[in-house]
Amino acid sequence: MKKYIFLTLLITTVSFAQKTSLYCIGDSTMANKKDPDKNPEHGWAQVLQPFFKENITVINKAVNGRSTRSFINEKRWDSVYNKLKKGDYVFIEFGHNDQKIEDSARFTNPHTAYRYNLIRFVKESREKGAIPILLTSISRRNFNEKGVLVPTHGDYPLETRLVAQEYNVPFIDLEYFTELLEQSYGPEKSKQLHLHFKAGENAFYNTDKADDTHLSLLGANKIAEIVINQIKLSKDVSLKNLKSGIK
């Protein structure tokens, strides 16, 4: 009996020790939303856990409205850094709010502060033995009158790509893949990926809603699928454990 209890405890301890945390840091396009059963808005990291087995725990620390600057200054990065352990992963997706040039608490120059904030996330993750993964911002639904999807993120995705290349960081070009997603749906049908409702059409909104940045449940799941597929396709050996944790 004692041997059975010991073996059970040993197995439980080993299973617990093998759990890997996947931290997600970023803005509202990733973040968990309140009242998910009623709220039509979802962040893509909010729906990520079901894609993984039990040995991967998704910890979504993304927050609405945050840039790299405000995420650091509000000590949100510190709260992640202090808990990181060897073998953990960190998804890093910023840019939407770093563009807010009218807001000194959030704006970053893409070629200076934004770049160096990304480098800080990368270096400090590695200090703890964790594996950072850089992602470009998701594309906005921004079709012109000719049906052309017009980019809105300026040089921020470029700097993300350059940091990933310079520091040999696993990289997912979400801007590119979400452009393909938006284009596959087209100017009208792509509204389904976002938040488009007439007044009274959805109980969560009292007035018309036309939001081309944030995601519906469909949009969030489609982007989560893109992320998962890119992990599966990656040949980066540092993603081996994360890849093996996919269902």
Side-chain angles (χ1 to χ4, degrees):
M1 183 64 179
K2 288 183 179 180
K3 182 182 289 187
Y4 174 79
I5 294 172
F6 174 76
L7 288 172
T8 301
L9 288 171
L10 181 62
I11 292 168
T12 302
T13 301
V14 170
S15 298
F16 179 79
Q18 290 177 339
K19 280 188 176 291
T20 297
S21 294
L22 167 57
Y23 289 90
C24 301
I25 65 171
D27 54 42
S28 56
T29 61
M30 296 177 85
N32 294 338
K33 311 299 176 180
K34 294 180 180 178
D35 302 320
D37 293 334
K38 299 178 181 178
N39 189 349
E41 183 181 345
H42 291 73
W44 66 261
Q46 180 178 358
V47 300
L48 202 54
Q49 183 66 67
F51 290 91
F52 288 102
K53 302 171 188 174
E54 291 184 359
N55 62 311
I56 302 291
T57 302
V58 176
I59 302 174
N60 190 6
K61 291 293 187 176
V63 182
N64 289 10
R66 269 53 182 189
S67 68
T68 58
R69 181 188 300 276
S70 59
F71 199 85
I72 290 170
N73 289 345
E74 293 173 7
K75 307 297 183 184
R76 295 180 185 277
W77 171 240
D78 287 347
S79 72
V80 173
Y81 175 79
N82 291 334
K83 293 180 180 177
L84 283 178
K85 64 184 186 300
K86 185 176 180 179
D88 284 344
Y89 291 88
V90 186
F91 279 166
I92 304 163
E93 187 221 336
F94 287 95
H96 281 97
N97 297 301
D98 287 82
Q99 294 180 285
K100 306 290 186 181
I101 199 166
E102 73 285 352
D103 186 349
S104 62
R106 293 190 287 177
F107 175 74
T108 60
N109 182 322
H111 306 297
T112 56
Y114 177 74
R115 169 182 169 80
Y116 284 99
N117 288 341
L118 293 184
I119 293 170
R120 175 178 174 177
F121 295 145
V122 168
K123 286 185 173 181
E124 293 188 357
S125 295
R126 287 173 169 172
E127 283 176 11
K128 301 296 285 286
I131 299 98
I133 301 167
L134 286 170
L135 306 95
T136 46
S137 298
I138 67 169
S139 177
R140 290 185 173 94
R141 179 188 168 275
N142 187 43
F143 290 93
N144 66 16
E145 66 280 358
K146 300 293 186 179
V148 175
L149 188 68
V150 180
T152 65
H153 295 310
D155 287 342
Y156 293 91
L158 171 62
E159 283 297 344
T160 307
R161 295 181 184 102
L162 291 174
V163 170
Q165 184 178 46
E166 183 176 348
Y167 287 86
N168 195 28
V169 183
F171 172 66
I172 299 174
D173 199 345
L174 264 191
E175 183 187 42
Y176 171 66
F177 292 111
T178 54
E179 281 179 358
L180 296 180
L181 176 65
E182 298 281 355
Q183 290 164 348
S184 72
Y185 273 70
E188 187 59 32
K189 193 178 176 183
S190 58
K191 292 178 181 178
Q192 298 174 16
L193 302 171
H194 299 278
L195 305 170
H196 281 258
F197 301 99
K198 296 293 184 182
E201 186 178 353
N202 188 288
F204 205 80
Y205 301 116
N206 296 323
T207 58
D208 288 357
K209 182 77 171 178
D211 183 339
D212 293 317
T213 297
H214 300 101
L215 301 167
S216 65
L217 180 58
L218 172 65
N221 273 300
K222 288 294 183 182
I223 293 174
E225 287 174 8
I226 288 171
V227 172
I228 293 297
N229 286 336
Q230 288 306 303
I231 295 170
K232 287 180 178 179
L233 292 170
S234 177
K235 296 179 180 179
D236 193 312
V237 294
S238 68
L239 300 185
K240 179 182 178 182
N241 289 341
L242 189 62
K243 188 185 296 189
S244 66
I246 296 172
K247 289 180 179 177

